[in-house]
Amino acid sequence: MDDFTKLFWELDGTTKTSEKTAALENYLKNAEAADAAWAVFFLTGQRIRRLVGTKLLRDWATQKAQISDWLFEECYDRVGDLAETISLLVPSAELADRTPLHSLIQDKLLPLRELTAEEQRSRVLELWEHMSQPQIFVLGKLMTGAFRVGVSKQLVIRALSAYSGVESTTLAHRLSGTWEPNAESFEQLVDPESSEAPTSKPYPFFLANPLKDGPDKELKEPENWCAEWKWDGIRAQVIRRADETYIWSRGEELLTEQFPEIADCASQLPNGTVIDGEVVGWCQGESRPLPFSQLQRRLGRKRLGKKLLTEVPVALLAFDLLEKDGTDCREHSLEQRQADLAKILIGLSTERQEGQSLFPNTEPDSQEPAIRVAPPVSDSPIMTWEAMASCRARAKELRAEGLMLKRAGSIYQVGRPAGLWWKWKVDPFTIDAVLVYAQRGHGRRASLYTDYTFAVWKENELVPFAKAYSGLSDAEFRKVDAFVRKNTKEKFGPIRSVTPQLVFELAFENIQPSSRHKSGIAVRFPRISRWRHDKSVGEADRLETILALASDE
Amino acid sequence: MQTELLKPTDRGLYCPAGNFYVDAWKSVDQNIVTHAHADHARRGSKSYLAAKEGEQVLRTRLGSDAQIEFRRYGEPVSVNGVKVTLYPAGHILGSAQIRIEKDGYVVVLSGDYKREADSTCTAYESIRCHTFVTESTFGLPIYRWPNPEKVFEQINAWWRSNQEVGKASLVLAYSLGKAQRVLEGIDSSIGPIYTHGAVEKLNESYRDSGISLPSTTYVGEVDAKQTDWTKALIIAPPSVMGGSWIRRFGKLSSALASGWMQIRGTRRRRGLDSGFIVSDHVDWQGLIRSIEETEAQSVWVTHGYADVVARSLVEKGIDARTIETEFQGELLEQPSEASQTQDATDG
C-alpha cells in the first residue's frame, strides 16, 4: 500500500510523460507480482465494483472528524474531491501502513461488500486509524472506484514494456479482455518468452497526407491515381490467425469485443489474413454509413445491448489486404492486393457462425457480410480531374469525407510518407485538437461556457492555436459546460483554463504561418466539426502536422 | 457589552474612546499596527504605534521618516486614556496582538497569528479578553498543519534529490516572514543558499534585529553564468514565477511554501513541481483552540473563512459574528496583482 501510495503521488505530481513512465517502471521493478498486478489493474482504468456507498463514507468521516454536516460540505466544496476531503478531515496515523496492496484489496476491501453497513463502518474506521493522510486518500479512491491519476493505458503499457522488454502491442493484447489482477497473470503479462502474442500483432498503418491544392497541380496525370471514398469511421485492421480474430484501431487499441459482428464475420476468413479498412455504422436502408456520432455510441462500452446492436450495426469497409495465406503482401501492388482482397471476401456469408443471429428482427438475406469491399467511387476508371472533383462533390451524400487518391501500382508503406496516398477532403482542413480554455458565450449562451480555445501538441506541450464557437449541438455544449466547471484549473478574468481532456475535430478553410500567434500559425474560419469521444488527448494532432500543411501552401 | 470600545469603520477598526485605529487601510491620525505585511501596515498615517521587536522590519515598509512609536511586548501605553498593550502573535518578526482595555473591558485584536514557535519571532501568547477579533485565513478543518520538522525534512530531501539530478531548487515564499522561516528551518549544510533582492533586504532587517539566519547570497551579486546553480537553494517571492528572473538558473525545480499547499488541486493548478505546507497562520485546530483560550464572550471573525468559523463558534455556544475588513491573510495569488480578498480563498 505504501509503495503504491508513493507511486500515486509521484504520478500525480508531474505532468511529464517521461517522469510518469520512470515512476511506473521503478514501481514495477520493486513491487511483488501480486501488488504490481493490482497496480496495473487500477492504472489501466479497470475498477472494482463500488464497495461502500459514498454517502456512508461521508457520514463516517463527518462523525470521525467530529464536525457538522454543513462543515463537511464546506470542506468538500473547497477541496473538490471526496476521497481527499475525507483524508484531510479524519485523524490519520503518523506512520504509513505497511500492508501490501494485494492483501489490502483482497483481504480487507473486497470482503466489505458482503458486510452490513455497521460492520463496514468499523472496518473502514480501523483502516483509517492505521493509515497516513496520503494513504487514506488513495484508499478512498480505491473504495469509491474513481481511480484516475492522469495516466493513460498506453503509458502504463509503455512502462510495462520498458520494464519487461515485451513489445507494447503484445502487452496491449495480453491486457485486453478480462485480465485478472493476480501474481500469475502479472508474470504471464511481462513474460518475454511467452509465445502467444505474435498472432495478434497488427502491421503499422499506412496513412495519407492531406491534399491542399487541387490534385491537378500536385498529382499531375489522373490516370496514375485510383480514387476511393474517404469514409468517416474508425480505421481498423482485422487479423485472422491461428483461429483467432483481432480488430485493432490505429491507436493500437483492441476493438474485437466492441465489434462482434465484424469479429464474427472474420472467423470465416482463412487463417493468415490481415485486412485494412474502415469500421462504420451501416444504414442498410440508405446503403450508406450512419453518421459518425452513431458509431460513437458503440465505443467504450462494457456491454453491447441488443437495442444498440440493432440500431447501429457496424461493418468493415475493407480496402486493403496486408497478409495473405500467412505471408506479408504489403510489397504487392495496390491493384494486386485489392484483387486478392475481393477474392477472399467474396466467399463470406452473412450467416452467423456460432449461436443465434445477432439481428433476430431482420431478414438475414437482406444483409451483406459485415466485412465487405468498400463501395467504389465509380464503376469505371475516372479519366479526368474534373470527373474526380465531381465525384468528390458527392461525398456528403454517402457521408464520406471526400476522396482518397492512391498511386496506381504502389506498395503499402509505413506511417505517413508523402507521395503515394492522399486524402482530398471536402472540408479542406481538419485537425484533432484539445480543449484548453473556455469562456462564456454571448446572448442565449451567456450562461454557458461555449467559446473555446483549442491546442495541439508541440513536443510535450499543448500550444493553443485556434478559437471556435460553433459546431456543437446545445446538448453537447451543455456537456462541455459541465466539464469546464468541474475541471477548471485557473481563472483569468472571464477565461478558465481546463484540464486537457476533451478532443474535438476542428475544420477550417485555410492556414497560414503567423508570427503573432504563439503556435506560429493562424487558421481561417475555424469551427468544431465534431466531438471526438473516441480520441484521447495523446492522440490529438501535432503542431508539426499543421505546420507541414501551412508550409505547403 | 462595550462594543463602543471598538467598531468597524470604512477606514479600519476604530477605538472611539482612544481615537485610534488598528491596521487602518486609509490614512488616519493614530494607527496601531499589528505587523509589517502590506495589507496591515500601510503608509500615510500621521503616527504609528507598533511592537519594538519589528522595528527594523517595519521601517523597511513604512520608510525612515514615518513617525512610529515602538513598545516592547507587555509594556502598556495609554492612548487618550485607553490602555493599549502589545503581545506577541508568532506570525512574523514583530507581529503583535493588540490588547485594548478601558473601564475593565478588554478587547484583543489578533492580527495574523500562528501558534508553533520558531526562532524568527517571539511565540504567540494567549490573552484573556471579553471580545476577541480573530483572523480566519485557514478557517476550515481540512487545514491541519503537519509537524514543521517533518516539512523541513521534506524540503531538505527535495533539495538533495534536485542536486542529484543537477537541478536548482527554487523555494517560493513571501519575502517577509515566510522566507526567513524557511531559511531558519532548512539544513543549510546541504548547499549554498541564494536569495531574491526582496528577500535579501528583509533578511538584513531580521539579522539587524538579532535573528540569526544561515548565510545567504543575493542572486544579483554573482555572475549567473559563472555560478553552479545545480546545488543551490534559491528563495524568492512567488511573483517571480513565469517571469524572466528565474531563467538564469537553468534546470530548475520549483516549490511553493504555503498553507494552501495542503490541497492537492491547489498544488497541481499552480504548475509547480512541489508544494510544502509551511504556514505563518494558525490551522483550524489552532484557531479554535486560541479562540477558546481567550475565554472571550464575543468573537469577531475577519479575513478568510469568516462565515464558516463564526457559524462553528455559534454552534459551540460562543457569540460570534463576522466583520468586513480589507485584510487579505495569505494570498494564493501573487500579492502585487491580487487586490481582492476573494483571490486568497477562491483559487
Side-chain angles (χ1 to χ4, degrees), chain B residues 39-111:
Chain B
D39 54 327
H40 292 263
R42 294 180 198 242
R43 287 172 181 243
S45 287
K46 272 193 189 150
S47 66
Y48 295 89
L49 174 67
K52 176 78 179 159
E53 184 182 273
E55 180 169 359
Q56 302 293 333
V57 171
L58 196 61
R59 278 285 174 209
T60 66
R61 291 293 163 115
L62 293 183
S64 53
D65 51 352
Q67 195 197 321
I68 314 174
E69 182 186 353
F70 290 102
R71 286 282 161 158
R72 294 188 187 284
Y73 290 133
E75 180 194 338
V77 56
S78 172
V79 183
N80 299 323
V82 175
K83 185 178 163 192
V84 175
T85 320
L86 308 185
Y87 288 92
H91 176 61
I92 61 167
L93 185 64
S95 64
Q97 305 176 72
I98 317 296
R99 182 185 184 277
I100 302 168
E101 180 182 352
K102 185 170 169 63
D103 302 332
Y105 192 88
V106 179
V107 176
V108 170
L109 294 96
S110 73

Side-chain angles (χ1 to χ4, degrees), chain A residues 102-351:
Chain A
H102 75 278
S103 354
L104 175 78
I105 294 165
Q106 288 159 213
D107 306 337
K108 306 251 170 102
L109 297 185
L110 295 179
L112 284 175
R113 212 179 275 136
E114 313 301 325
L115 302 178
T116 64
E118 195 38 49
E119 287 167 327
Q120 287 180 336
R121 178 176 177 273
S122 62
R123 299 277 179 105
V124 170
L125 291 186
E126 197 187 323
L127 285 172
W128 284 344
E129 256 163 45
H130 293 97
M131 288 188 176
S132 64
Q133 186 266 329
Q135 287 184 323
I136 294 174
F137 174 49
V138 173
L139 175 74
K141 292 270 157 203
L142 298 179
M143 280 200 295
T144 53
F147 198 92
R148 278 176 47 198
V149 64
V151 169
S152 66
K153 188 170 183 175
Q154 210 52 42
L155 195 145
V156 178
I157 287 171
R158 203 179 307 160
L160 279 165
S161 177
Y163 158 73
S164 65
V166 178
E167 279 200 50
S168 52
T169 47
T170 307
L171 286 165
H173 164 53
R174 289 182 186 174
L175 271 172
S176 65
T178 46
W179 190 79
E180 292 295 328
N182 57 49
E184 202 189 332
S185 15
F186 181 76
E187 275 154 8
Q188 280 169 6
L189 176 71
V190 294
D191 183 358
E193 301 302 315
S194 174
S195 60
E196 98 204 64
T199 59
S200 70
K201 202 175 164 182
Y203 291 99
F205 283 85
F206 182 16
L207 307 170
N209 283 289
L211 194 63
K212 289 157 312 270
D213 288 339
D216 49 334
K217 282 190 199 147
E218 293 196 33
L219 307 185
K220 312 274 169 26
E221 313 301 328
E223 56 271 28
N224 289 337
W225 296 90
C226 310
E228 297 171 13
W229 291 119
K230 183 177 183 335
W231 302 104
D232 190 11
I234 294 167
R235 181 82 179 273
Q237 245 176 73
V238 174
I239 295 172
R240 180 68 182 175
R241 289 177 188 138
D243 295 329
E244 296 283 340
T245 298
Y246 309 93
I247 306 174
W248 290 96
S249 76
R250 233 185 79 193
E252 279 186 4
E253 210 183 325
L254 201 50
L255 301 173
T256 321
E257 289 170 13
Q258 309 270 340
F259 301 127
E261 307 96 309
I262 298 172
D264 188 61
C265 182
S267 65
Q268 302 174 55
L269 294 168
N271 278 318
T273 304
V274 178
I275 295 171
D276 188 3
E278 190 96 355
V279 176
V280 295
W282 190 255
C283 179
Q284 187 63 34
E286 299 173 358
S287 290
R288 61 173 182 168
L290 290 161
F292 186 77
S293 56
Q294 291 294 310
L295 178 62
Q296 282 187 317
R297 293 171 59 203
R298 290 282 303 259
L299 303 176
R301 287 176 184 264
K302 281 266 173 290
R303 230 174 250 186
L304 294 160
K306 254 188 196 160
K307 182 165 176 282
L308 192 57
L309 285 168
T310 314
E311 286 176 3
V312 190
V314 294
L316 180 82
L317 305 182
F319 51 69
D320 217 320
L321 183 70
L322 313 185
E323 185 175 306
K324 184 184 166 236
D325 302 328
T327 309
D328 177 355
C329 59
R330 292 177 295 163
E331 300 275 321
H332 296 179
S333 71
L334 176 66
E335 295 82 350
Q336 180 69 54
R337 296 197 311 273
Q338 292 189 336
D340 288 338
L341 174 69
K343 267 185 230 159
I344 290 171
L345 295 186
I346 210 159
L348 297 181
S349 87
T350 59
E351 278 183 33

Side-chain angles (χ1 to χ4, degrees), chain A residues 56-106:
Chain A
L56 288 174
L57 282 175
R58 190 188 279 231
D59 290 348
W60 302 336
T62 307
Q63 289 157 19
K64 188 74 187 167
Q66 299 180 312
I67 58 173
S68 309
D69 290 342
W70 69 265
L71 190 48
F72 185 94
E73 290 305 317
E74 290 279 351
C75 292
Y76 183 28
D77 198 46
R78 175 69 187 85
V79 177
D81 181 294
L82 183 65
E84 188 182 1
T85 309
I86 291 174
S87 76
L88 291 169
L89 286 172
V90 302
S92 52
E94 276 288 308
L95 291 173
D97 186 292
R98 294 264 166 211
T99 314
L101 182 64
H102 75 278
S103 354
L104 175 78
I105 294 165
Q106 288 159 213

Side-chain angles (χ1 to χ4, degrees), chain B residues 144-330:
Chain B
R144 198 166 59 178
W145 306 147
N147 181 341
E149 266 177 47
K150 283 250 164 77
V151 177
F152 287 116
E153 276 170 27
Q154 286 170 8
I155 300 179
N156 292 336
W158 167 78
W159 185 4
R160 285 199 190 93
S161 75
N162 288 338
Q163 287 184 337
E164 278 166 26
V165 296
K167 280 186 193 171
S169 303
L170 174 67
V171 174
L172 302 165
Y174 265 28
S175 322
L176 169 53
K178 190 70 69 65
Q180 291 73 31
R181 181 137 179 260
V182 169
L183 273 172
E184 177 259 341
I186 52 169
D187 178 357
S188 58
S189 70
I190 295 174
I193 303 170
Y194 293 88
T195 49
H196 183 271
V199 172
E200 193 54 32
K201 189 171 151 197
L202 286 150
N203 284 352
E204 277 167 32
S205 301
Y206 267 63
R207 290 190 180 109
D208 290 348
S209 309
I211 304 295
S212 93
L213 296 174
S215 66
T216 54
T217 308
Y218 167 45
V219 167
E221 259 173 29
V222 296
D223 182 342
K225 293 213 174 84
Q226 300 297 313
T227 308
D228 175 15
W229 299 108
T230 62
K231 300 278 182 264
L233 184 84
I234 301 133
I235 302 186
S239 55
V240 301
M241 272 316 271
S244 59
W245 188 82
I246 60 172
R247 285 195 202 131
R248 69 191 76 189
F249 305 115
K251 276 194 178 172
L252 183 82
S253 182
S254 59
L256 180 61
S258 166
W260 300 115
M261 296 296 100
Q262 179 108 56
I263 305 214
R264 169 173 164 258
T266 318
R267 209 159 49 228
R268 284 156 55 93
R269 277 175 226 134
R270 296 298 100 185
L272 299 161
D273 301 307
S274 283
F276 298 110
I277 307 169
V278 184
S279 177
D280 42 24
H281 295 261
V282 272
D283 64 2
W284 170 264
Q285 293 191 349
L287 180 68
I288 299 298
R289 187 175 146 205
S290 303
I291 291 167
E292 288 175 345
E293 282 177 3
T294 64
E295 296 177 22
Q297 298 145 6
S298 160
V299 179
W300 295 4
V301 192
T302 177
H303 61 297
Y305 288 97
D307 294 335
V308 171
V309 173
R311 187 171 169 188
S312 294
L313 292 174
V314 169
E315 281 189 345
K316 287 174 189 290
I318 298 170
D319 174 27
R321 58 181 272 210
T322 64
I323 52 163
E324 290 290 316
T325 62
E326 291 189 9
F327 309 132
Q328 298 169 329
E330 179 173 350

Side-chain angles (χ1 to χ4, degrees), chain B residues 21-51:
Chain B
Y21 289 81
V22 176
D23 290 349
W25 46 84
K26 288 187 176 148
S27 300
V28 297
D29 288 347
Q30 175 63 265
N31 193 7
I32 302 179
V33 174
T34 60
H35 65 285
H37 277 147
D39 54 327
H40 292 263
R42 294 180 198 242
R43 287 172 181 243
S45 287
K46 272 193 189 150
S47 66
Y48 295 89
L49 174 67

Side-chain angles (χ1 to χ4, degrees), chain A residues 10-51:
Chain A
E10 277 177 273
L11 294 173
D12 188 61
T14 178
T15 50
K16 298 191 182 79
T17 311
S18 58
E19 289 180 6
K20 287 185 182 182
T21 318
L24 265 165
E25 205 186 324
N26 189 45
Y27 173 83
L28 293 170
K29 267 185 203 145
N30 298 307
E32 301 244 351
D35 292 340
W38 279 107
V40 167
F41 176 84
F42 284 113
L43 294 171
T44 52
Q46 288 177 272
R47 44 173 69 182
I48 45 180
R49 199 150 54 80
R50 195 157 73 196
L51 300 165

